[in-house]
Structures are given as structure tokens and as C-alpha cells.
Amino acid sequence: MKPQYTLLYRIWHWTMALSVIGLLLTVLLRKTFLSWHTNSALIQSKLAESGTEITAETAKMIAQAIRAPMWEWHYIFGLFLGISILIRIYMMLTKQATLSLFVFLEAPKEEKIQRAVYLFLGFALIVMAISGATLYFYEDLGFTKEGIGWVKELHELTMYGVLGLVVLHLGGVFMHEITTKEGIVSKMIHGDD
Ligand code: HEM
Ligand code: HEM
């Protein structure tokens, strides 16, 4: 049988998978340990204890400055997600991959759910990449901060789709791994050629 898990296929998969995991981790940190809401209140109260009063606005500025180097990674992982999409486009142009929609339509009945997850995941990641890039370059694109509000909402909402689909994917891979002897996780790492 023709090798399915070629080197390029694995490079594409892991560039995408690791960047998505990284992107989700930066969001987790932004919403928890490095949340400016929590940390600005903490900075303000700790300084007040030692007799230094600062305004809520200054405390927010400091908390956001502490968060900034971590959040830079959102953009770095975002760039890698973009690179993985370009690799996939290259694979399709050179006939090394097929559009997920066709794979879904042509899949046998027992593979329909799995292929639907890949189809929606691919779509959600393209929405994330385009909305993310629009948010990053909004000034160059001639948008205002207010005008871009709906893009930010779309970006944040689609994240829940990505999260759900990644959980389904990992559950599916785990089930496949323990119910068959195909060793797909190992093949996704070492290849099958
Ligand atoms: C969390 C981010 C991840 C994303 C976004 C992701 C995405 C995808 C996508 C879109 C496919 C379908 C490829 C195709 O069209 O042929 C796929 C396949 C696969 N992924 Fe992932 N993946 C992720 C993480 C993982 C992890 C952590 C593992 C291993 C534990 C894994 C193992 C696999 C395997 C084995 C396949 C091949 C399934 C098959 O051939 O039926 N993925 N992944
Ligand atoms: C799986 C992919 C991604 C996920 C889950 C994700 C998630 C998020 C979330 C939840 C936010 C809102 C954070 C908040 O305001 O609390 C956000 C903001 C943002 N994301 Fe993403 N993102 C992804 C991909 C990308 C990509 C590819 C880029 C491109 C560089 C990007 C650029 C941005 C930008 C510029 C913001 C606005 C930051 C701000 O207003 O301070 N994201 N992202």
C-alpha cells in the first residue's frame, strides 16, 4: 500500500497540532495566571499594604506589561499555524493531499464522523488564522479598534469549536489506537514507509 503518513504529511500535522496546542495554552495563561483583571487588583493591594497608592489604570498597565512577553507567543504560534496551512495548500497543489470536503464526501459510511471532524476542524482553523491575522494587522488594513470588534468576537467564539473538535479528534485517535493494532499514533510520529 502507498505510504499514507509521509514525511511531509507528518511535518504538516505536527506543525499544525503543536501550534494549536501552543495557541490554546497562551489563551489559558491569559485568562488565568496572567489575567490583568486579577493581577492588577493584586498589584494595587500589595502596593497599598506597603504604603504606595497607585490608580487602577496604572495597575492595569503594569499587569498588561507583565502579560505582554507571554502573549507574543500567541503571534509566534499563530505564524506556525499559518505555515501549516500553506504546507497543506502546497500538498493539495502537488496532489499529495485532497480537499477535506472531497475526502468527507467520498468516505465510506464508517469513516464519515471522523472525516466530518477533520472537515470542521480544518474550516475552524482557517477562520482562526484569517480572523487572527486581521486582528494583528487591523491598522494596516484600515480598520479601527471598534470596527474590528466583531472579528474579535468571531475569533473568540470559533475557539470553542476548535476546542471541542480537538477533544473529539484526540478521543477518536485514542479509541482507534486501543481498539485496533494499527498503531496510528506511532505511524504519525515515525511514518509508515
Ligand atoms: C491538538 C491539535 C491537533 C490538531 C489540530 C490535529 C489535527 C488533525 C487533522 C486535521 C487530521 C486529519 C489529517 C487528514 O486530513 O488526513 C489529523 C490526523 C491525525 N492526528 Fe491529529 N491533530 C492534533 C493533535 C494530535 C495529537 C496530539 C495526536 C497524537 C496523540 C494526533 C494524532 C493524529 C493521528 C494518528 C492522525 C491520523 C488519523 C487517521 O489517519 O485516521 N493528533 N490530526
Ligand atoms: C487555534 C487558534 C487560535 C485560538 C484558539 C486563538 C484564541 C484567541 C482568543 C481566545 C483571543 C482573545 C483573548 C482575549 O482577549 O482574552 C485571541 C486574540 C487574538 N488572537 Fe488568537 N487564536 C488563535 C489563532 C490566532 C492566529 C493564527 C493569530 C494570528 C496572528 C491570532 C491573533 C490574535 C490577535 C491579534 C488577538 C487580539 C489580541 C488582543 O486584542 O490583545 N490568533 N485569540
Side-chain angles (χ1 to χ4, degrees):
M1 213 175 96
K2 234 172 102 186
Q4 194 190 344
Y5 301 80
T6 60
L7 181 63
L8 188 60
Y9 178 80
R10 282 174 284 141
I11 291 175
W12 160 71
H13 177 268
W14 291 114
T15 308
M16 169 183 57
L18 296 178
S19 56
V20 169
I21 293 169
L23 280 157
L24 290 172
L25 278 177
T26 58
V27 173
L28 185 71
L29 285 173
R30 183 178 170 132
K31 304 268 186 211
T32 57
F33 297 110
L34 290 170
S35 152
W36 71 259
H37 292 276
T38 324
N39 288 347
S40 63
L42 188 73
I43 291 165
Q44 214 179 6
S45 78
K46 285 289 170 195
L47 283 176
E49 274 173 30
S50 58
T52 310
E53 296 293 335
I54 58 166
T55 63
E57 206 40 50
T58 310
K60 177 180 169 184
M61 212 175 66
I62 298 170
Q64 285 181 332
I66 293 170
R67 187 193 67 191
M70 181 287 293
W71 191 248
E72 278 296 309
W73 283 94
H74 193 78
Y75 309 137
I76 297 169
F77 287 124
L79 176 69
F80 278 95
L81 179 63
I83 291 174
S84 76
I85 293 174
L86 291 181
I87 298 177
R88 179 74 190 202
I89 293 172
Y90 169 78
M91 287 170 73
M92 290 195 294
L93 290 176
T94 53
K95 306 258 182 307
Q96 296 181 67
T98 318
L99 198 66
S100 303
L101 178 65
F102 297 143
V103 180
F104 167 74
L105 291 174
E106 286 160 17
K109 229 177 174 175
E110 62 276 13
E111 276 182 27
K112 280 281 189 226
I113 297 180
Q114 176 201 355
R115 296 294 162 192
V117 170
Y118 294 155
L119 173 64
F120 288 123
L121 189 54
F123 181 69
L125 291 178
I126 289 171
V127 173
M128 290 318 280
I130 294 177
S131 56
T134 310
L135 289 170
Y136 190 79
F137 294 112
Y138 78 96
E139 276 174 330
D140 301 322
L141 292 168
F143 290 108
T144 60
K145 197 140 191 118
E146 292 72 43
I148 208 79
W150 68 273
V151 180
K152 190 154 180 182
E153 265 172 46
L154 175 73
H155 193 73
E156 288 199 56
L157 260 179
T158 313
M159 178 186 70
Y160 294 103
V162 172
L163 257 181
L165 291 161
V166 165
V167 169
L168 282 178
H169 172 49
L170 296 183
V173 167
F174 183 70
M175 284 302 290
H176 195 142
E177 187 67 32
I178 58 167
T179 54
T180 70
K181 290 203 170 64
E182 290 169 18
I184 50 166
V185 175
S186 164
K187 283 185 189 167
M188 192 47 116
I189 297 168
H190 299 291
D192 59 348
D193 44 357

